[in-house]
Amino acid sequence: MATCKNVGAVLLFIFFSFLHVEAILDPADFLALQSIRKALEDMPGSHFFSSWDFTADPCNFAGVYCDSDRVISLNLGDPRAGSPGLTGRLDPALGKLSSLAEFTVVPGRIYGPLPESLSDLKNLRFLGVNRNFISGEIPTKLGGLRSLRTIDLSYNQLTGRIPPTVGSLPELTNLILCHNRLSGSLPRFESHTLTRLDLKHNSLSGSLPPNSLPPSLQYLSLAWNQLTGPMDRLLGRLDQLNYLDLSLNQFTGPIPDRIFSFPLTNLQLERNQFSGLVQPVEQVSIPTVDLSYNRLSGQISPMLASVQYLYLNNNRFSGRVPASFVERLLDASIQILYLQHNYLTGIEISPTAVIPERSSLCLQYNCMVPPVETPCPLRAGKQKTRPTAQCNQLKT
């Protein structure tokens, strides 16, 4: 009798196991994946969807990851470098994957807007749809996804403003919206965990209040926009930065002295309207500093002589170049020293000095005759010295 009971239990287990295998995915997720698949196609050379056979378990599809009976991660496209992507649209059925925590799409030719239904994915932590042809505006309701930590919608064709609701996401860590067509002013970012903000190559405008960005930032790029106003009070708070690029904007006012003491590997402030003196309080250890094409004035600080790649050209610097620059240039510690198009009056370097091949010095168009002949960038022009009348005008 006991043996019969055991056999019956085994048969029931096998039966229910068979049912579990057949119904492993929640029906809502199953139908959502079908709709997503119908809206997309492999580009020539891509075979990503070859495993998407809906007579089998969708949790075994390429790019689909499940927890129990729900899809928790959807990575569309072959992630290998150089692989062709997908084409088509993102179907609104995406919003039916209610347990989805991660959604990514590889670079390809996906077009059309981001589905508004993304705002239904209350568990979403990672959204990455970059290097496609996504157009339209960023859905305002994305700001309702309070678990979102990373948004990467870079290299698309997005327009409109960055919604203030996105700025208020409490756990946002990475926001990457570069190379789009976004416009308007920046929202205030309230997340205390935001470390990367990349908004370069857009059409953003307006000024940034001193408290608009959190001090947690480590990477900040606002280059190639139309942003204006002073930045000294805001930058003075961002002492965790290791990369800063504000180039090609219309920022004004002074550069805060303490920024040169931040743990930066790259400081790009070129082609703005920054003005005033540059006075680091200690020896600068930032490898690359580009302050070119601004309105900076005064003498060049010897504290900058420790910079490996230094661009001070096209400003209003005056006086003599400190001797420490020559020493470091001749021992190849300085790789690039661009000082052209200023009002400098002298530099202590012998006309017979041999500048190492891997180092570059440009001195032309200053208030002196360059004591050494050195190759300069083509855009520096052919004039060796600045007209005397301009030099005298600076003195007055």
Side-chain angles (χ1 to χ4, degrees):
M1 190 70 174
T3 303
C4 290
K5 285 183 178 179
N6 288 341
V7 170
V10 169
L11 290 173
L12 283 171
F13 175 79
I14 294 172
F15 175 72
F16 283 113
S17 295
F18 176 78
L19 287 179
H20 178 72
V21 169
E22 289 298 307
I24 191 169
L25 192 63
D26 182 275
D29 285 18
F30 184 91
L31 293 172
L33 288 177
Q34 281 190 321
S35 296
I36 291 165
R37 170 65 185 90
K38 288 176 183 177
L40 296 170
E41 294 291 339
D42 280 305
M43 288 179 62
S46 173
H47 306 285
F48 174 74
F49 281 125
S50 61
S51 68
W52 283 47
D53 176 4
F54 284 92
T55 63
D57 180 5
C59 290
N60 293 325
F61 291 178
V64 178
Y65 302 89
C66 301
D67 182 14
S68 186
D69 62 342
R70 305 309 297 258
V71 177
I72 59 169
S73 178
L74 182 59
N75 309 125
L76 294 175
D78 187 341
R80 290 175 296 183
S83 297
L86 309 175
T87 185
R89 292 175 174 267
L90 297 178
D91 194 274
L94 267 171
K96 300 294 184 182
L97 300 174
S98 58
S99 296
L100 199 65
E102 176 181 322
F103 176 60
T104 66
V105 180
V106 301
R109 298 190 66 84
I110 293 178
Y111 53 89
L114 289 170
E116 291 282 345
S117 60
L118 284 174
S119 61
D120 296 330
L121 302 176
K122 302 303 182 186
N123 296 302
L124 196 65
R125 294 196 299 270
F126 191 104
L127 173 62
V129 187
N130 61 350
R131 296 181 185 273
N132 277 276
F133 291 83
I134 301 296
S135 58
E137 299 190 358
I138 299 172
T140 301
K141 291 183 179 179
L142 276 185
L145 304 182
R146 311 304 280 175
S147 297
L148 258 179
R149 295 176 184 173
T150 293
I151 301 175
D152 184 355
L153 302 174
S154 57
Y155 292 89
N156 280 292
Q157 298 175 0
L158 294 167
T159 56
R161 304 170 70 91
I162 301 172
T165 54
V166 170
S168 66
L169 287 168
E171 296 187 31
L172 192 63
T173 303
N174 303 289
L175 181 62
I176 308 169
L177 301 176
C178 58
H179 290 268
N180 277 286
R181 301 172 183 174
L182 299 168
S183 58
S185 57
L186 269 66
R188 178 182 176 185
F189 291 95
E190 300 177 9
S191 170
H192 296 297
T193 59
L194 185 63
T195 57
R196 185 181 183 96
L197 182 62
D198 191 346
L199 306 178
K200 64 177 174 284
H201 283 269
N202 279 287
S203 298
L204 300 168
S205 59
S207 58
L208 281 70
N211 61 349
S212 58
L213 301 177
S216 55
L217 276 174
Q218 297 176 18
Y219 181 107
L220 175 61
S221 181
L222 302 176
W224 290 84
N225 280 287
Q226 299 158 24
L227 297 164
T228 58
M231 289 288 285
D232 51 322
R233 290 176 61 195
L234 171 58
L235 290 177
R237 298 174 55 249
L238 307 181
D239 58 2
Q240 301 300 308
L241 284 173
N242 56 52
Y243 182 94
L244 176 62
D245 188 354
L246 303 181
S247 58
L248 289 114
N249 280 284
Q250 299 165 34
F251 291 121
T252 57
I255 297 172
D257 298 339
R258 62 186 302 255
I259 197 174
F260 295 100
S261 302
F262 292 174
L264 289 161
T265 59
N266 203 300
L267 176 60
Q268 307 277 159
L269 302 180
E270 71 269 20
R271 295 184 184 272
N272 279 284
Q273 298 172 26
F274 289 116
S275 59
L277 306 179
V278 178
Q279 297 177 314
V281 295
E282 59 188 9
Q283 208 70 37
V284 179
S285 59
I286 306 169
T288 299
V289 174
D290 193 340
L291 308 181
S292 62
Y293 292 92
N294 278 288
R295 300 174 179 177
L296 301 167
S297 58
Q299 296 196 342
I300 295 176
S301 170
M303 296 299 180
L304 291 167
S306 50
V307 176
Q308 194 173 3
Y309 300 90
L310 181 61
Y311 304 83
L312 300 179
N313 53 288
N314 296 80
N315 277 288
R316 299 174 181 176
F317 290 113
S318 58
R320 300 182 67 81
V321 179
S324 52
F325 282 90
V326 176
E327 295 168 10
R328 292 184 58 81
L329 181 71
L330 295 180
D331 70 12
S333 297
I334 295 178
Q335 300 279 300
I336 291 180
L337 180 59
Y338 280 179
L339 303 175
Q340 67 270 23
H341 286 258
N342 279 289
Y343 293 81
L344 300 169
T345 55
I347 181 171
E348 293 295 332
I349 187 169
S350 169
T352 59
V354 178
I355 297 173
E357 286 186 10
R358 61 182 182 179
S359 297
S360 296
L361 169 67
C362 185
L363 292 169
Q364 67 187 52
Y365 209 72
N366 276 287
C367 297
M368 62 175 172
V369 176
V372 289
E373 288 287 332
T374 56
C376 285
L378 286 175
R379 62 179 176 271
K382 295 181 179 181
Q383 286 184 276
K384 296 294 183 183
T385 60
R386 184 180 286 276
T388 306
Q390 292 185 16
C391 296
N392 292 337
Q393 187 178 14
L394 182 70
K395 293 176 184 178
T396 58

